[in-house]
Amino acid sequence: MSMPMDGGPSEDDQVVALRAEVDQLKEAVTSHAVVDQAIGMMVALGRVTPDQGWEVLKEVSQHTNIKLRNLAEMILIWGRNGEMPSDVRAELEDVLDRVGPTRIPGGAPDTERYS
């Protein structure tokens, strides 16, 4: 490792710091994409706006004590295979019922939205 004359971080230290920053940025981009996809599912399934979808995710995350990114991943898994913990699903349904329409337009009054 080379030590700079001014006593600041060495070139090697700067490279390590920059690599760590790049890794953090990559994780942030991935996390953002996962959350955006989950918001899209809320829009499609809950018939809410994207802003409302974001609020739904935040509220469910807070009420279930699950990090928002992890909740978003659960929602994407649910979209692929229909599996979600029952308590999380119940909270999601409750929040969507409060935020969005209670039935699908054109559907029968008792059409369940989350089957």
Side-chain angles (χ1 to χ4, degrees), residues 27 30-32 34-35 66-74:
E27 179 63 27
T30 300
S31 180
H32 188 50
V34 168
V35 172
I66 298 172
K67 288 185 179 187
L68 196 126
R69 182 181 195 271
N70 294 342
L71 175 64
E73 288 174 341
M74 286 176 144

Side-chain angles (χ1 to χ4, degrees), residues 36-113:
D36 281 349
Q37 291 171 32
I39 289 170
M41 286 188 63
M42 296 301 93
V43 169
L45 297 174
R47 303 201 42 88
V48 297
T49 67
D51 287 341
Q52 290 171 320
W54 168 247
E55 293 301 321
V56 167
L57 290 182
K58 286 192 325 186
E59 189 172 334
V60 173
S61 172
Q62 290 169 355
H63 290 167
T64 59
N65 201 28
I66 298 172
K67 288 185 179 187
L68 196 126
R69 182 181 195 271
N70 294 342
L71 175 64
E73 288 174 341
M74 286 176 144
I75 290 169
L76 296 181
I77 291 168
W78 174 51
R80 286 192 297 270
N81 65 21
E83 294 178 13
M84 179 182 285
S86 59
D87 59 328
V88 176
R89 182 176 169 142
E91 183 64 29
L92 181 60
E93 289 175 356
D94 288 346
V95 174
L96 278 170
D97 283 343
R98 279 197 308 279
V99 172
T102 57
R103 58 191 163 109
I104 297 170
D110 61 346
T111 299
E112 189 174 334
R113 200 170 45 175

Side-chain angles (χ1 to χ4, degrees), residues 21-32:
E21 186 175 352
V22 167
D23 289 343
Q24 289 173 348
L25 290 171
K26 284 180 181 177
E27 179 63 27
V29 168
T30 300
S31 180
H32 188 50

